[in-house]
Amino acid sequence: MGDTPARTAALVSGYFPGEKLLSALNDSKIGVVICDRQMRYKALNETLAEIHNVPIAGHMGHRFQDILGSLAEIVIPLWESVFSTGQPLPNLEVTGRLPRRSEEGRWIENLFPLMDDRGRVAQVGCFVIEITRPPAPLTSSILVAAGALAAAGYPLPSLDQNQIAPLSRREREVVRLVAGGKSNKQISSELAISVRTVETYRARLMLKLNATSTAQLIRYAIRNRLVAI
């Protein structure tokens, strides 16, 4: 008997306990996927299926190459690294074109190991946020997903200050303005960029800094003297 979306959802829910978790992730437009060591799809949610433009059932049992085409050459080494080291790879930016989409895409991916009872990496999971086509506001999306994960007892990866990827000049400007209490519209006006671009910057910052709230962005800005206190 083949895999069905219901069975897939049950598998994902097994790794991330909590009845509302999958629906929260779908509402937030964050894709979630789990694969085995042969890079075969074992579970995913509707958001990830929409990104690939392939139904959930069309993924199950297939390898990365079957769904991702040439993009698999970019992502497979990342997943293999998590399998071999047992360490998460947060905040990776991946760019490429999927076989069933005409335009190039850009995604932020967070990979994490899934251990068996003996502490070995049995499978690897990934959270995916697309940062090119216009989604719902991404900042609130990340907060919804992070909150759902925390409520389900899933330990979000945390980086110490030395592990955080350096911020670009524009990212530092956005953090400074957020910490100063500016709204997305005000930041848009001050930096002469669209509100949608501000939302994307804030989403990227939330991922880079492993922040789950605006308060944590403010704390980062204070610690790094981006704002005066």
Side-chain angles (χ1 to χ4, degrees):
M1 183 175 179
D3 289 289
T4 65
R7 185 174 182 275
T8 300
L11 179 56
V12 177
S13 298
Y15 285 110
F16 309 110
E19 294 180 0
K20 297 182 180 179
L21 179 58
L22 278 182
S23 62
L25 289 173
N26 275 323
D27 291 343
S28 67
K29 295 303 179 185
I30 293 181
V32 57
V33 57
I34 296 171
C35 290
D36 63 15
R37 285 184 176 271
Q38 286 71 48
M39 303 301 160
R40 294 176 299 196
Y41 291 93
K42 304 302 292 183
L44 64 148
N45 67 347
E46 288 288 352
T47 298
L48 199 281
E50 290 173 4
I51 289 174
H52 291 167
N53 200 19
V54 177
I56 289 178
H59 285 76
M60 305 309 297
H62 289 277
R63 297 178 184 271
F64 278 13
Q65 294 90 335
D66 300 331
I67 305 297
L68 305 181
S70 60
L71 191 59
E73 299 175 5
I74 297 174
V75 301
I76 284 177
L78 304 176
W79 289 68
E80 289 178 337
S81 173
V82 179
F83 272 114
S84 62
T85 67
Q87 298 299 313
L89 285 179
N91 311 326
L92 303 171
E93 184 168 329
V94 176
T95 303
R97 192 178 73 81
L98 292 164
R100 297 199 182 190
R101 290 176 54 177
S102 58
E103 78 285 1
E104 187 175 74
R106 291 171 60 223
W107 303 271
I108 297 293
E109 301 190 353
N110 281 258
L111 280 71
F112 50 90
L114 295 165
M115 306 298 189
D116 62 18
D117 293 339
R118 298 183 180 181
R120 300 173 300 188
V121 182
Q123 296 177 325
V124 168
C126 181
F127 294 111
V128 182
I129 295 179
E130 186 157 11
I131 56 176
T132 47
R133 58 182 179 179
L138 288 177
T139 300
S140 60
S141 297
I142 293 173
L143 291 176
V144 169
L149 290 170
Y154 181 76
L156 290 172
S158 61
L159 296 178
D160 62 36
Q161 191 64 27
N162 294 328
Q163 291 177 304
I164 292 175
L167 302 186
S168 68
R169 179 184 60 82
R170 180 51 59 88
E171 287 171 336
R172 290 170 68 86
E173 289 177 338
V174 172
V175 170
R176 176 178 61 81
L177 294 171
V178 169
K182 301 286 187 180
S183 67
N184 286 353
K185 186 175 181 179
Q186 290 170 322
I187 296 172
S188 167
S189 176
E190 185 160 338
L191 299 182
I193 57 179
S194 70
V195 172
R196 183 73 65 185
T197 300
V198 175
E199 291 169 350
T200 300
Y201 270 115
R202 290 186 64 154
R204 192 178 301 170
L205 285 163
M206 299 289 281
L207 288 171
K208 270 192 173 184
L209 303 178
N210 290 319
T212 58
S213 69
T214 300
Q216 291 183 349
L217 291 183
I218 295 172
R219 190 178 304 123
Y220 174 88
I222 293 172
R223 286 179 177 174
N224 289 272
R225 300 182 180 180
L226 299 180
V227 293
I229 56 174

